[in-house]
Amino acid sequence: MSKPRLILDQDDVLAATHDKLADIVFNEFETGLSREAFNKVAFHQILSTELSQRLYHIIQAPGFFSDIPLIPNAREAVLELSKKYEIFVATAALEFPNSFREKYDWLRQYFDFIPWTHIVFCGDKSVLSGDYLIDDMPRNLKTFKGKGLLFNAAHNLEETAYQRVMNWEEILQLLG
Ligand SMILES: [Mg+2]
């Protein structure tokens, strides 16, 4: 029997992208806010249009996606789940076309056990088909036909329509 298919988002599920951005905003932008404040809201809610643009350019710049820290325990948990599930990574990389190579190399660095055939660079995630999708963006879970799990993030704290998972330990308990 084939394994159930588990699809994982990259940014803010495997890679701590928001944390990297929050560190940049806290250290380089003069917002007057504490570092903790960025753990509770989306950037667009607190940054001016000008600062949002500045942040956007930082994300677009070469190198941004190369050194994003791993979300704690993501590698170990995905490796464990790969025994029971067919794992795919699906990332809306088309939003930042410069990121392709960096995102791919990042996955090779931390998730070398996921073959290239199971990495999907996409735009609209409604194209995905699987049994489970773990993503931090409610819009991606909305169109998914399987079971969606919302990975807790600063920009989705208000969302109540999907089952929330706080970390990889909890995912392992749920799906392992
Ligand atoms: Mg994401």
Side-chain angles (χ1 to χ4, degrees):
M1 216 175 75
S2 61
K3 295 174 179 174
R5 180 176 288 175
L6 169 59
I7 308 171
L8 308 171
D9 176 32
Q10 186 167 350
D11 291 306
D12 294 319
V13 171
L14 301 176
T17 313
H18 179 88
D19 285 346
K20 176 171 176 178
L21 287 168
D23 286 343
I24 291 171
V25 171
F26 177 68
N27 290 315
E28 298 179 21
F29 294 13
E30 284 175 13
T31 62
L33 295 165
S34 69
R35 173 63 184 80
E36 288 69 37
F38 297 108
N39 295 337
K40 298 185 187 117
V41 284
F43 293 115
H44 68 82
Q45 289 177 283
I46 41 177
L47 296 184
S48 64
T49 309
E50 189 199 338
L51 288 181
S52 293
Q53 279 293 337
R54 205 168 131 194
L55 193 59
Y56 185 76
H57 284 116
I58 288 170
I59 299 171
Q60 291 280 11
F64 177 80
F65 287 95
S66 313
D67 62 351
I68 297 186
L70 193 62
I71 297 251
N73 298 312
R75 183 188 149 84
E76 298 80 0
V78 177
L79 187 58
E80 180 65 26
L81 290 170
S82 69
K83 296 174 190 163
K84 195 170 158 187
Y85 298 86
E86 184 189 23
I87 307 282
F88 276 81
V89 174
T91 175
L94 273 291
E95 191 178 359
F96 302 106
N98 292 337
S99 72
F100 291 176
R101 182 77 220 189
E102 292 168 14
K103 292 190 111 172
Y104 177 78
D105 288 345
W106 190 93
L107 287 169
R108 293 269 58 79
Q109 183 183 350
Y110 293 111
F111 297 90
D112 50 324
F113 55 90
I114 300 177
W116 66 268
T117 51
H118 285 54
I119 295 172
V120 182
F121 283 4
C122 60
D124 186 335
K125 290 193 182 178
S126 67
V127 72
L128 299 174
S129 163
D131 298 286
Y132 298 91
L133 171 64
I134 304 178
D135 205 296
D136 61 300
M137 290 300 203
R139 68 165 180 266
N140 296 329
L141 299 176
K142 192 167 184 220
T143 53
F144 187 65
K145 301 288 190 297
K147 166 85 175 165
L149 295 172
L150 183 70
F151 201 96
N152 189 65
H155 41 268
N156 69 26
L157 298 177
E158 305 287 309
E159 181 62 52
T160 56
Y162 307 98
Q163 185 174 349
R164 180 179 297 273
V165 283
M166 299 303 293
N167 51 47
W168 276 99
E169 289 86 344
E170 194 179 332
I171 294 169
L172 259 189
Q173 281 178 9
L174 203 63
L175 301 180

